[in-house]
Amino acid sequence: EIGSRIATFNDRWQVDDDYPALPRCFYLVDACQSAGQININVHTMKCHALAATGRKFIRGPRGTGFLYVRGGIADELVPTQVDHSAAPVERVPRSEGGDRDDRSSAYTCSYDLTGNGRQVGLEFCYQPGAAAFEFWESNVANKLGLGAAIDYALDSVGMQHIEKECCRLGDVLRSRLRSMDGITVYHDNADGTTRQCGIVVFTVDGVESRKVEEAMIESSDDSPRQFEVSVVPATSTPVDSANTLAGDMVRASVSYSNTLEEIELFVKKLHEVILTKPLRPYTHT
């Protein structure tokens, strides 16, 4: 798993086979920054479940994502949010309620549907497998777009090529930023001891990261190139922020579709921003 501003690979796997004395836990991987950037194998990781968004490195529509749950476990989970698609009502209301026996049998919830305090029960049963986590209302076009993006990454480009290029271009960008005065690159694997991906995070000395973001997207006659970066708040990764003592960071995420020429243009634009823009100093509190 890759953090939102941590460029180092976090190769996680289930260790209970090697350490049987450890208590078992439900092992869920947040792969939002990993899916579409590195090759993921849920069997190698031995995770119980994995969730990811479609809009990032998968390059799918915003508002899409997916959830993988290991077979045999999905039917044991109780979703936090359901509707009549995920948990259809099995019978008409009855006068007395009860509790569920297990995940596969009908659940009963009691409601005051009469207005006079008399409780009636609604019996419902979760759909088997993935259907228990789906909703009746959904954007079909976005789902199709997500599927097309996944097919393109797997079949047309190939995840091995994507991972190789993201890592290579990320290393190039970090190296170029490292050579610039006034730039601090975080999670910089300069000695090459750990694998790093296409997420590059940095700060400009004495300048608020939000101002850097705004300046990089601006276009002018003198600097027509526009580059979209994002700001990762310190509060989004509080443990890492406490360790690095860094505030909000600028994040530049490269993709396999980027080129070395584009990286050079990015560095040139950032240099122009630092020299020419009246950016407000940043005070970390």
Side-chain angles (χ1 to χ4, degrees), residues 63 83 86 92 125 128 133 159 208 259:
D83 63 9
V92 296
C125 186
F133 299 91
M159 282 308 306
E208 183 183 5
T259 64

Coordinates of all heavy atoms in Angstrom, one line a residue, residues 63 83 86 92 125 128 133 159 208 259:
G63 N -15.6 9.3 -8.7 CA -16.8 8.7 -8.1 C -17.0 7.2 -8.3 O -18.0 6.6 -7.9
D83 N -29.4 -0.9 1.1 CA -30.7 -0.5 0.7 C -31.5 -1.7 0.2 O -31.0 -2.8 0.5 CB -30.7 0.6 -0.4 CG -30.0 0.1 -1.7 OD1 -29.7 -1.1 -1.8 OD2 -29.7 0.9 -2.6
A86 N -29.3 -4.3 -1.8 CA -28.3 -5.1 -1.1 C -29.0 -6.1 -0.1 O -28.5 -7.2 0.2 CB -27.3 -4.2 -0.4
V92 N -43.5 -9.6 4.5 CA -44.2 -8.4 5.0 C -44.0 -8.3 6.5 O -43.7 -9.3 7.1 CB -45.7 -8.5 4.6 CG1 -45.9 -8.5 3.2 CG2 -46.3 -9.7 5.3
C125 N -32.8 -10.1 4.0 CA -31.7 -11.0 3.9 C -30.7 -10.3 2.9 O -31.0 -9.9 1.8 CB -32.1 -12.3 3.3 SG -30.8 -13.6 3.3
P128 N -26.0 -12.5 -1.5 CA -24.7 -13.2 -1.4 C -23.6 -12.4 -2.1 O -23.8 -11.8 -3.1 CB -25.0 -14.5 -2.1 CG -26.1 -14.2 -3.0 CD -27.0 -13.2 -2.4
F133 N -22.8 -5.3 -1.1 CA -22.2 -4.0 -0.9 C -22.6 -3.0 -2.0 O -22.0 -1.9 -2.1 CB -20.7 -4.2 -0.9 CG -20.2 -5.1 0.2 CD1 -20.1 -6.5 0.0 CD2 -19.8 -4.6 1.4 CE1 -19.6 -7.3 1.0 CE2 -19.4 -5.4 2.4 CZ -19.3 -6.8 2.2
M159 N 0.5 -3.9 -16.8 CA 0.8 -3.4 -15.5 C 2.3 -3.4 -15.2 O 2.9 -2.6 -14.5 CB 0.1 -4.1 -14.3 CG -1.4 -3.7 -14.2 SD -1.6 -2.0 -14.0 CE -0.5 -1.6 -12.6
E208 N 4.1 28.9 1.1 CA 2.9 28.0 1.4 C 2.7 27.1 0.2 O 2.6 27.5 -1.0 CB 1.7 28.9 1.7 CG 0.5 28.1 2.0 CD -0.7 29.0 2.2 OE1 -0.6 30.2 2.0 OE2 -1.8 28.5 2.6
T259 N 6.4 12.1 -20.0 CA 7.7 12.0 -20.7 C 8.8 12.7 -20.0 O 8.5 13.5 -19.1 CB 7.6 12.5 -22.2 OG1 7.4 13.9 -22.1 CG2 6.5 11.8 -22.9

